[in-house]
Amino acid sequence: MPDPSASNPNAIPPVIDSKPPLSGNPQIPKEERTIPSIESRLRHNILKMPEEIRQASGIVIYGRRIKSLVFTTDLAIIKNCDADAVFAVYPFTPQQSISNAIISCASVPVFCGVGGGTTRGMRTISLAKDVESQGAMGVVLNSPISNVNLLGVSRAVDIPTVITVVSKETDIDARLAAGAAILNVAGGKDTAEIIRSIRKKHPKVPIIATGGKSPESILATIQAGANAITYTPPSVQELFSTMMARYRQ
């Protein structure tokens, strides 16, 4: 095969991998692979994300693949679950003290809500800059936010801007043009349908979506085209009631 650099001095020569082959047979059947698991006498009773979420492709952000996001602001759950990330969005005006507590406590990346509904304008930009400096991996904006406000947030921070989508009528092109890096589809029972509608025109845009609580709904959401799933865990009270029932036996 002729060397392209011989006729074009500016051409980049092909890279040849000269690494020696791995010894043995690296093609181990998937069913025979084992994943080491380390637990302790005390830290074995963690909240596990549904296994179905592992079938999602995931979204790679700064080299880290994220498939599952636990949708909570409860620090006890955040510290005792196996989610890939935290989706810290709550129905109150975002406050820096709350985001700081969650980011400081979490051992995984955190996506912080910074408004878009009641909280808008310069405050959302200020909050986005604050959570970025605190260490958030991304900022989440609610669906009512204007494209102008979305653009302001996306230009103010260097972390992904996640925009929530609740309807098929949302102008996705305008959202992407305004700087949305990831779509968060939260359409209730219509979530899978909304995702399919988006995928017809935008096959590669990263999508996080609510998957519901049943294995069937999670798989349906992934099959529709979601790359990652937000999972709403049981409350601490619900989890504790099971433990108390065991203690009473």
Side-chain angles (χ1 to χ4, degrees):
M1 180 177 178
D3 185 353
S5 61
S7 58
N8 181 3
N10 295 321
I12 300 174
V15 177
I16 301 174
D17 188 359
S18 60
K19 295 179 180 179
L22 296 174
S23 59
N25 181 13
Q27 302 300 321
I28 302 174
K30 186 175 292 186
E31 62 273 11
E32 294 181 12
R33 298 173 188 170
T34 59
I35 301 175
S37 177
I38 298 176
E39 297 178 348
S40 72
R41 182 173 57 86
L42 300 177
R43 299 189 184 187
H44 62 275
N45 187 29
I46 66 169
L47 176 67
K48 295 182 180 293
M49 298 297 100
E51 287 289 328
E52 291 73 21
I53 297 179
R54 297 183 185 275
Q55 298 189 33
S57 65
I59 301 172
V60 178
I61 304 175
Y62 307 139
R64 184 189 292 263
R65 187 182 298 271
I66 294 173
K67 296 184 178 186
S68 60
L69 300 97
V70 62
F71 185 11
T72 184
T73 55
D74 190 304
L75 296 183
I77 288 178
I78 289 171
K79 286 295 290 184
N80 293 278
C81 73
D82 67 350
D84 299 325
V86 177
F87 204 72
V89 180
Y90 48 92
F92 310 106
T93 298
Q95 299 175 50
Q96 293 93 329
S97 58
I98 295 176
S99 60
N100 185 58
I102 294 172
I103 294 169
S104 299
C105 178
S107 56
V108 294
V110 179
F111 291 77
C112 288
V114 294
T118 303
T119 305
R120 305 184 187 188
M122 288 301 298
R123 182 168 176 81
T124 59
I125 296 175
S126 176
L127 287 165
K129 293 170 71 174
D130 284 343
V131 300
E132 180 184 29
S133 66
Q134 291 167 354
M137 177 170 271
V139 293
V140 184
L141 292 160
N142 293 332
S143 58
I145 196 168
S146 68
N147 289 324
V148 172
N149 202 167
L150 170 59
L151 181 61
V153 171
S154 66
R155 288 183 173 178
V157 297
D158 191 44
I159 53 178
T161 303
V162 184
I163 184 67
T164 302
V165 176
V166 298
S167 167
K168 287 197 300 183
E169 307 307 316
T170 301
D171 188 344
I172 302 299
D173 288 321
R175 291 306 206 190
L176 296 175
I182 301 172
L183 305 180
N184 169 44
V185 181
K189 62 181 178 58
D190 298 323
T191 295
E193 184 180 349
I194 295 171
I195 295 171
R196 279 191 289 269
S197 176
I198 294 171
R199 282 290 180 232
K200 289 178 182 178
K201 191 173 182 181
H202 302 281
K204 295 185 179 180
V205 64
I207 295 178
I208 298 171
T210 53
K213 291 193 177 289
S214 71
E216 293 77 17
S217 64
I218 292 172
L219 286 175
T221 306
I222 294 171
Q223 290 164 1
N227 304 108
I229 298 293
T230 57
Y231 175 73
T232 304
S235 68
V236 168
Q237 290 79 7
E238 292 174 298
L239 293 170
F240 204 59
S241 65
T242 303
M243 181 179 292
M244 291 302 297
R246 189 169 68 249
Y247 286 167
R248 295 188 188 102
Q249 291 178 355

